[in-house]
Amino acid sequence: MNSILHFIEDNQTRYLDELKTFLSIPSVSTNPQNKSDMEKCAHWLSDHLKNIGLDHIQIFPTEGHPIVYGDWLHAPGKPTVLIYGHYDVQPPEPIELWTSPPFEATIRDGNLYARGASDDKGQVFIHLKAIEAYLKNAGKLPINIKFIIEGEEEIGSDHLEPFIKTHKELLKTNLVLISDTSMFAKGIPSVCYSLRGLSYMQIDLVGPGKDLHSGSYGGSVHNPIQALTEIVAQLHDKNGRITIPGFYNDVRKLTKEERNAFKKLPWSDKKFAKDLNVKVLYGEKGFTTLERLWARPTLECNGIWGGFTGEGAKTVLPSKASAKISMRLVPDQDPDKIAKLFEKHIRKITPKSVHITVKNLHGGHPAITPIDSPGVRAAVAALEKGFGKKPLYQREGGSIPIVVQFKQLLGADTVLLGFGLPDENAHAPNEFIFLDNFFGGIRTVAHFYNEFPNYISKK
Ligand code: BES
Ligand code: ZN
């Protein structure tokens, strides 16, 4: 282990240079214009997997973006860990708000800034470098490893589920390990045991068949923007609860133990509000902020548009208005069921004055892993060694849609061993990764590979 840790220490500059190259490829999955960049990124990754010594490297094409696979299976009698990550990133826009260009990784104040630095290329790279350190120094790994890196996580992982279904033997594993979440805070390592799910909807309203002069027609027809905002405003009550009938039916209640555990975490609403530049926090009454973020479902309007939004003034009564609305879900809510409840309710509250279309854009199931499972216990031990501090247990409000499929299709629990920070601007301008966590992450996952066999046999 010592030679491995020294190697990690000695190779920091090279690691960063390589990561910068990985981050320079604009692998924006949602943008059709980046299709060839997605291919390029998959090839870059597969070449890298080969260089660090993995076998059976393959790029699997899908109807969407390719899936990259590689493995190292020379530890007979030892458990297998399937490491999952994603090489796709969110769009960088608005570009003008970036201090340095999103695809030219730049180091400032101990952070590496680039789109994907934390979510998730930087965290995928943590594993590549830990594996490399093992193979270069010990000549072998203490476990069998399978690596699967997809290119569609940020757009709902649509083609990964069918891939898993048709490659069950290839992906067979004792555990899934994912580094695509955050630690609780700087200097406070944590292991995450639950993610929220998602149901993402779009509403399109059409009022009059064409844009109208607001003077000649205002007062005669229902403005679709007004109708839409009236609908959206009805989706929460005055206690911040979602008004869709049946929405909360399947929500798993927080246990007393879990509520107490959340209360013991080092958290300040005041600091949180200050960091976000809001005077007061908002959310469902009767729950603390951490409960609302991690264990309660929410509904957000992500965007709303229609009519005239250009410079200056235009007196128009628009024909159309639209909104994108997503709901974060918690165990045991089902995204398809929620999408149906949403559509039914929206149709019911839509006035006759407008035509409505409701689209289900994508969804993902919430996930929860028992905290006494071997993988979580091994993660706790590894974090303690990697960061020199006992980690906390936490949940996360974000989603990784495929986690539940790993359980359902491969029978494997997932460990969420993430090294981001909550304020690293994921999905926003100036995304970064804190370099201490990047290197601490490499040490931690190296320890994890070493520790996991001890825990699985002790089960
Ligand atoms: N890395 C995130 C998941 C995440 C976000 C974990 C925040 C913990 C905290 C992931 O890449 C992501 O952003 N997922 C999407 C999934 C969606 C598009 C289905 C998300 O949560 O919005
Ligand atoms: Zn991610």
Side-chain angles (χ1 to χ4, degrees):
M1 203 65 205
N2 267 348
S3 62
I4 293 164
L5 294 173
H6 278 130
F7 183 86
I8 294 169
E9 187 76 32
D10 293 344
N11 283 274
Q12 293 195 349
T13 315
R14 176 174 60 85
Y15 289 174
L16 292 178
D17 285 343
E18 292 171 356
L19 175 58
K20 282 180 184 172
T21 310
F22 187 22
L23 290 168
S24 72
I25 308 169
S27 47
V28 181
S29 49
T30 197
N31 189 346
Q33 285 180 354
N34 291 111
K35 193 157 174 52
S36 64
D37 295 310
M38 296 302 292
E39 300 275 340
K40 188 174 159 192
C41 200
H43 279 98
W44 188 90
L45 259 179
S46 74
D47 288 347
H48 205 84
L49 294 183
K50 199 168 184 186
N51 287 342
I52 63 169
L54 294 188
D55 307 316
H56 305 123
I57 291 145
Q58 287 189 69
I59 298 180
F60 290 95
T62 72
E63 277 173 40
H65 302 305
I67 295 166
V68 182
Y69 174 89
D71 62 29
W72 191 91
L73 305 173
H74 308 291
K78 296 287 182 188
T80 301
V81 171
L82 174 69
I83 302 168
Y84 160 86
H86 62 96
Y87 66 87
D88 65 323
V89 299
Q90 290 272 339
E93 287 78 18
I95 306 266
E96 66 278 11
L97 295 186
W98 286 76
T99 304
S100 50
F103 299 107
E104 287 173 31
T106 308
I107 297 175
R108 286 193 299 278
D109 308 325
N111 300 320
L112 179 72
Y113 287 83
R115 173 56 87 231
S118 173
D119 185 10
D120 180 37
K121 286 168 156 179
Q123 299 209 53
V124 164
F125 208 65
I126 282 174
H127 287 277
L128 298 180
K129 294 301 102 176
I131 293 169
E132 182 193 69
Y134 263 105
L135 294 178
K136 280 245 165 80
N137 290 280
K140 60 182 182 175
L141 287 162
I143 48 171
N144 299 295
I145 280 190
K146 298 178 175 177
F147 224 121
I148 175 173
I149 313 159
E150 72 150 322
E152 299 190 312
E153 196 274 345
E154 299 290 8
I155 49 172
S157 299
D158 277 354
H159 299 100
L160 189 57
E161 186 184 346
F163 177 80
I164 298 172
K165 278 190 180 145
T166 49
H167 294 84
K168 279 192 186 163
E169 197 48 43
L170 180 76
L171 302 176
K172 197 170 161 207
T173 188
N174 299 96
L175 180 82
V176 177
L177 178 61
I178 304 181
S179 297
D180 190 22
T181 51
S182 300
M183 304 202 323
F184 188 78
K186 224 178 220 186
I188 310 184
S190 60
V191 53
C192 176
Y193 63 92
S194 181
L195 293 166
R196 289 197 287 191
L198 189 73
S199 175
Y200 204 123
M201 312 294 292
Q202 179 164 329
I203 306 174
D204 297 295
L205 292 191
V206 182
K210 56 184 180 183
D211 283 1
L212 302 171
H213 188 294
S214 69
S216 311
Y217 293 90
S220 68
V221 288
H222 201 170
N223 182 326
I225 297 179
Q226 183 190 340
L228 183 62
T229 51
E230 284 162 357
I231 291 169
V232 172
Q234 283 178 62
L235 297 177
H236 290 93
D237 69 12
K238 63 176 190 324
N239 292 323
R241 274 176 74 86
I242 295 149
T243 53
I244 300 169
F247 183 83
Y248 290 96
N249 281 1
D250 298 329
V251 169
R252 196 186 296 182
K253 283 213 169 73
L254 272 157
T255 61
K256 231 192 205 142
E257 289 74 36
E258 210 175 5
R259 290 192 101 165
N260 284 338
F262 284 14
K263 286 201 178 101
K264 286 198 187 118
L265 296 173
W267 178 265
S268 155
D269 269 0
K270 218 170 159 184
K271 179 175 181 307
F272 190 65
K274 191 167 171 250
D275 289 348
L276 297 180
N277 212 7
V278 292
K279 282 205 188 94
V280 285
L281 298 177
Y282 167 86
E284 188 186 1
K285 221 172 158 179
F287 296 91
T288 66
T289 306
L290 285 182
E291 288 169 355
R292 300 196 307 265
L293 285 171
W294 293 348
R296 295 296 297 171
T298 52
L299 180 148
E300 303 294 334
C301 182
N302 297 268
I304 187 159
W305 68 99
F308 178 70
T309 56
E311 284 281 328
K314 176 187 180 189
T315 46
V316 64
L317 196 166
S319 161
K320 294 178 185 170
S322 298
K324 289 189 191 277
I325 294 178
S326 66
M327 292 158 281
R328 293 284 168 179
L329 311 178
V330 298
D332 299 303
Q333 287 178 299
D334 175 84
D336 293 327
K337 202 168 156 188
I338 291 295
K340 287 197 183 98
L341 290 177
F342 176 88
E343 176 163 0
K344 191 172 165 206
H345 183 61
I346 295 293
R347 288 191 180 282
K348 201 174 135 212
I349 62 173
T350 299
K352 289 212 169 52
S353 48
V354 290
H355 303 278
I356 180 162
T357 314
V358 180
K359 284 189 219 135
N360 180 352
L361 298 185
H362 62 75
H365 288 265
I368 192 154
T369 303
I371 59 170
D372 59 353
S373 58
V376 172
R377 290 191 295 131
V380 169
L383 278 164
E384 195 167 352
K385 290 195 166 153
F387 283 87
K389 238 185 199 173
K390 258 201 164 39
L392 304 177
Y393 293 95
Q394 72 159 102
R395 292 168 73 155
E396 281 270 20
S399 311
I400 305 177
I402 208 65
V403 170
V404 164
Q405 262 85 46
F406 284 134
K407 181 74 182 175
Q408 282 171 358
L409 300 171
L410 303 177
D413 277 331
T414 290
V415 169
L416 298 160
L417 187 54
F419 303 102
L421 287 172
D423 60 354
E424 281 179 339
N425 300 326
H427 298 199
N430 298 316
E431 177 179 348
F432 67 90
I433 189 161
F434 177 43
L435 289 178
D436 284 2
N437 280 9
F438 174 71
F439 295 115
I442 301 175
R443 291 194 300 273
T444 302
V445 300
H447 283 297
F448 183 89
Y449 305 156
N450 210 24
E451 291 288 331
F452 182 56
N454 301 331
Y455 286 83
I456 199 160
S457 54
K458 274 192 228 157
K459 198 183 171 184

